[in-house]
Amino acid sequence: MKIDEMKIEKTRHRLGGEKRAERPSKSQARSIALRSLVFLAEDDERMGRFLALTGADPGDIRALSKDEGFQLALLEHICADEPLLIAFAAAEELAPESVVAARTALGGGTMD
């Protein structure tokens, strides 16, 4: 990296541009996942789509919500749909990058 490019990177970082979200703890990531479940449940269409794509039974949601694999599935679902990710992040006053970081903290791989 050239000196001018390094100055630009330092300036971006100092001004808050292009920062990566800090990786949340597993507990924080689980909390974000549960909040995403509430967000999905607030809209029948959103919840219906999630249930259809995952094959989850609505009657099992309460029990499943405690399972870390299910929590990861929630965040995978949210992160796979950019408009949904942005809507959830805005509703929860989170940066979309924080939601993606929560997904990673629960064991999700990198997103392409």
Side-chain angles (χ1 to χ4, degrees):
M1 184 179 297
K2 296 178 185 174
I3 293 176
D4 288 340
E5 291 172 341
M6 289 179 7
K7 287 180 185 176
I8 291 170
E9 287 302 313
K10 285 181 182 177
T11 301
R12 281 185 186 150
H13 182 70
R14 191 174 64 248
L15 295 176
E18 298 185 28
K19 289 193 301 188
R20 290 181 178 239
E22 288 188 35
R23 187 172 180 180
S25 69
K26 204 166 246 197
S27 175
Q28 291 168 324
R30 291 175 67 112
S31 175
I32 292 171
L34 293 175
R35 288 162 46 195
S36 76
L37 177 58
V38 171
F39 174 78
L40 291 174
E42 291 173 340
D43 182 277
D44 289 340
E45 187 175 320
R46 286 192 302 239
M47 190 63 173
R49 184 168 187 270
F50 173 74
L51 293 172
L53 290 172
T54 61
D57 184 272
D60 296 334
I61 295 293
R62 183 179 298 265
L64 287 171
S65 68
K66 297 173 184 143
D67 180 75
E68 195 171 295
F70 182 74
Q71 293 167 4
L72 175 58
L74 286 162
L75 293 179
E76 291 274 351
H77 177 74
I78 295 282
C79 292
D81 181 339
E82 188 174 5
L84 185 61
L85 170 61
I86 291 172
F88 170 65
E92 292 296 318
E93 298 180 354
L94 296 167
E97 296 84 4
S98 296
V99 180
V100 174
R103 179 189 152 279
T104 302
L106 290 180
T110 59
M111 297 196 69
D112 295 325

